[in-house]
Amino acid sequence: MGGSVPHAIKMTEELGKDGFIAIMVESQGLAADEIGGFMAQRFPGSELFLTNEAPFRGAEESGGIPFAMLVGIDGTLLWQGNPNGAVKKVEDLVAAELKKIKTGWGATPEIKKARALMFSKGALGEAATLLASIEQNIKEDAKADFDAAKAELDRLYASRKAGIDGKQKETRFDDAEAMAKDLAKSVKGNADWEKEVATIVATFAEAEMAKEVKLAQQIEKIFHTNGKKKPTPDLAKKLRDLAKKNAEAKAVLLAEKRAKQAEYVPH
Amino acid sequence: MLKRSGTIAFLAVSLFIAGFASAQGGVKTGDKVPDYTFRWSENSTGMNSIADMRGRVVLVDLWGYH
């Protein structure tokens, strides 16, 4: 397993809020539905992007692990190799990219500021207002970058809405509600988006949904009883008892998933 | 004879495909990475593809549970 997972967790905890993402690709055949259990037992409390499918292969990949690739803010592959032998190199490259996220980048000062607003501040509404204000006067040599920034903003808004849907499909109604409320703050300044997100936020106040949110919160509280220590099998019983009392709720699926993770025994 | 010719042809095609795949060689440092849509086992946030992660710095870490 090496030290790559703990290092990715540490970097995510320290830099996730600034725009760092770690995608952990399990490459020794662990089934997709086992990865969550494995991580809960071995790395409790960690929040990483987990999959068992590599998105692409690196040219320097020999087939052995650990192997990592670092992708920059514009989708360029910045580095690839064994992360255990290049901790400082990776951290320096990450720091340089995070600096760009903080200050923004672009062909004009306004595009640069708009990118800082959307990617660093999460201020999507303000970024949309700024881009709209310069659209008529954008010079020909900056037009392609302006269009790119606008497309990035639209994609960011769409992905944050998709995240709310995704969390509901996972029956993490608690997270979905928090993400909806957070998005409502982010879109302030753009009337269309404000209206659309207000509708989404309102769904969480409906009686049935409010029950699902409350149940998901209870499930997560039980599952994380031990904090940074691994969940224990006795929590599985508590989760299943709670599920029995709420058999009609959608969040019972979350209770069962968490129960399985609590009693999962790593290979 | 026909069977042997077929086998040789099959091997030739296989070697060509293998050579082609090797020449593709994966993404080189400095290249743009191809887009890809993930199937997450945990933690869906709406960022489901490499393109969704534009504007972030992304570490793709291949590891094993053993």
Side-chain angles (χ1 to χ4, degrees):
Chain A
M1 189 159 35
S4 69
V5 177
H7 188 233
I9 291 170
K10 184 171 173 280
M11 287 185 77
T12 301
E13 286 174 351
E14 288 174 2
L15 307 171
K17 65 185 183 315
D18 300 327
F20 172 80
I21 291 173
I23 298 172
M24 305 309 291
V25 183
E26 203 292 315
S27 308
Q28 288 183 326
L30 202 59
D33 61 355
E34 284 187 277
I35 298 175
F38 180 88
M39 294 300 288
Q41 294 294 331
R42 288 289 172 86
F43 304 102
S46 62
E47 290 208 8
L48 299 167
F49 287 77
L50 302 171
T51 180
N52 57 2
E53 297 173 348
F56 51 87
R57 313 307 308 196
E60 293 170 31
E61 190 179 340
S62 62
I65 53 171
F67 181 82
M69 295 168 279
L70 189 69
V71 183
I73 53 172
D74 65 349
T76 301
L77 184 61
L78 300 175
W79 171 88
Q80 55 184 312
N82 183 336
N84 293 338
V87 171
K88 176 82 168 60
K89 170 89 177 167
V90 170
E91 287 180 350
D92 286 350
L93 285 167
V94 168
E97 292 298 288
L98 293 181
K99 194 174 173 189
K100 288 182 210 167
I101 293 171
K102 193 172 182 183
T103 59
W105 67 98
T108 70
E110 292 83 5
I111 297 172
K112 184 177 174 180
K113 187 178 176 187
R115 282 200 173 100
L117 283 169
M118 65 175 106
F119 291 122
S120 178
K121 306 279 183 197
L124 308 193
E126 284 182 56
T129 303
L130 177 56
L131 289 175
S133 74
I134 62 169
E135 186 161 17
Q136 297 304 317
N137 300 315
I138 202 81
K139 287 181 181 167
E140 199 55 40
D141 61 350
K143 192 165 183 327
D145 194 40
F146 174 83
D147 290 342
K150 212 158 172 278
E152 288 161 14
L153 179 61
D154 288 341
R155 185 144 199 157
L156 190 53
Y157 175 63
S159 77
R160 287 187 60 179
K161 273 198 307 172
I164 298 165
D165 285 341
K167 284 291 181 189
Q168 290 185 74
K169 281 176 189 155
E170 277 185 18
T171 63
R172 281 299 307 270
F173 297 103
D174 53 334
D175 272 0
E177 184 191 37
M179 286 166 74
K181 287 181 175 173
D182 195 41
L183 184 57
K185 286 181 196 161
S186 289
V187 298
K188 277 184 180 166
N190 182 299
D192 290 343
W193 287 351
E194 280 182 28
K195 195 175 168 188
E196 192 172 20
V197 179
T199 307
I200 298 169
V201 171
T203 63
F204 290 95
E206 291 167 8
E208 284 302 305
M209 184 62 95
K211 277 185 199 167
E212 296 285 3
V213 169
K214 192 179 171 191
L215 181 56
Q217 286 169 341
Q218 288 175 309
I219 292 165
E220 288 302 300
K221 192 176 175 187
I222 293 171
F223 183 68
H224 292 289
T225 300
N226 302 338
K228 286 275 186 184
K229 289 181 182 168
K230 65 181 183 179
T232 40
D234 60 300
L235 299 180
K237 186 180 180 307
K238 287 183 185 173
L239 288 163
R240 291 199 174 103
D241 287 347
L242 183 62
K244 271 183 200 166
K245 287 180 195 163
N246 297 275
E248 301 299 315
K250 292 176 185 168
V252 294
L253 294 173
L254 176 63
E256 182 54 30
K257 182 173 118 176
R258 290 306 203 191
K260 282 182 179 169
Q261 291 177 346
E263 58 195 10
Y264 182 81
V265 179
H267 296 258
Chain B
M1 183 66 179
L2 266 177
K3 191 176 174 184
R4 191 178 170 200
S5 300
T7 305
I8 290 169
F10 173 75
L11 284 172
V13 169
S14 300
L15 284 169
F16 173 77
I17 291 169
F20 180 76
S22 172
Q24 297 297 297
V27 183
K28 295 188 183 84
T29 303
D31 288 350
K32 293 273 192 226
V33 301
D35 197 15
Y36 179 87
T37 300
F38 293 94
R39 283 188 295 176
W40 303 119
S41 65
E42 282 281 310
N43 200 21
S44 54
T45 62
M47 285 190 284
N48 295 323
S49 71
I50 291 286
D52 287 338
M53 294 175 188
R54 200 58 66 88
R56 310 291 207 291
V57 54
V58 182
L59 183 72
V60 180
D61 194 331
L62 278 62
W63 64 285
Y65 72 97
H66 285 304

